[in-house]
Each structure stands twice: as structure tokens, then as C-alpha cells.
Amino acid sequence: MEEAACMLLEMHRSNCEADGVTYTTLISGFCKCGKLDKAYELSDRMIQQGHTPCAKTYLPIMLAHEKIEELEECLELIEEMRKIGCFPDVIIYNVVIRLARKLAEIKEGVELWN
């Protein structure tokens, strides 16, 4: 993943800007490696470069937070998504509802379901 991140920098130096698919792929890879901080950095950079993340961009981040049982972070991400005009899809909601149920956070789960 570090080599992929270096390639992204090299692309930038060569005036070859990455698109949303490239960023989403890298974000997914970092999430699978457990490097959420890098995934967030890329997400921020993606937005700075003028690309709007979609639900597919946020899904690996949500799954990574689910894996380590961080419900608050998932709820914050849903709010962030809404603020930038990227509305969560049914898959995103299912991940967060599943985590809320697992953690016995019934109120949050019901609110998301509604």
C-alpha cells in the first residue's frame, strides 16, 4: 500500500491527477490493512482535489470501523457524507445498524432504520 501511495504522489508530480476511482481503490486498500489514518488522509485529499466521494468510497472505512466496533465514528461519517452531498446507501446503513445491534445500541439502530 505504501508503494501505491508513492505512485499517487508520482502521478501528482507528473501532472496526472488521480480520479475518484483511484482514490477509492487506495482508500479501500488502506482500510483492509488497518491503516484508517491513511484512508482518512486520502479521503481528505480526494475532496481537496475536487472529487466527491461516493458511498463506495466510504464503505471500506465503515467496514473498518465496524471491525473494531467504533459506532460513534460510523455515525460521524454518515453525517459527514450528508454534509458533502453523498447520501449513504442501504449497504452503509446495514453496516452501521449491524454494529449498533452488536453493541446493543438499540436507539441508534432504530434511528438509522427509520
Side-chain angles (χ1 to χ4, degrees):
M1 284 311 306
E2 295 302 325
E3 288 179 30
C6 288
M7 179 58 76
L8 187 65
L9 289 173
E10 186 60 35
M11 287 173 64
H12 179 70
R13 285 187 204 117
S14 301
N15 291 323
C16 178
E17 288 300 324
D19 61 9
V21 174
T22 303
Y23 279 108
T24 297
T25 302
L26 289 170
I27 289 167
S28 179
F30 279 116
C31 287
K32 287 178 183 176
C33 294
K35 296 184 178 186
L36 273 170
D37 55 336
K38 292 281 191 181
Y40 276 106
E41 285 176 27
L42 284 173
S43 174
D44 291 342
R45 188 163 161 200
M46 179 181 185
I47 294 167
Q48 290 170 355
Q49 295 295 322
H51 302 288
T52 303
C54 64
K56 287 183 181 181
T57 306
Y58 284 98
L59 180 60
I61 299 172
M62 290 286 189
L63 290 170
H65 282 299
E66 179 190 25
K67 185 176 180 180
I68 55 178
E69 298 183 352
E70 294 180 333
L71 180 60
E72 274 305 310
E73 287 76 0
C74 289
L75 297 172
E76 289 172 11
L77 274 174
I78 287 177
E79 287 305 311
E80 180 183 317
M81 290 173 73
R82 289 179 179 151
K83 285 180 186 175
I84 65 168
C86 170
F87 296 97
D89 61 12
V90 69
I91 298 169
I92 296 282
Y93 281 118
N94 281 339
V95 169
V96 182
I97 291 169
R98 182 174 58 224
L99 178 56
R101 188 194 76 210
K102 181 178 180 181
L103 299 176
E105 297 289 342
I106 303 303
K107 179 183 171 196
E108 284 82 358
V110 169
E111 288 176 5
L112 288 169
W113 176 263
N114 290 332

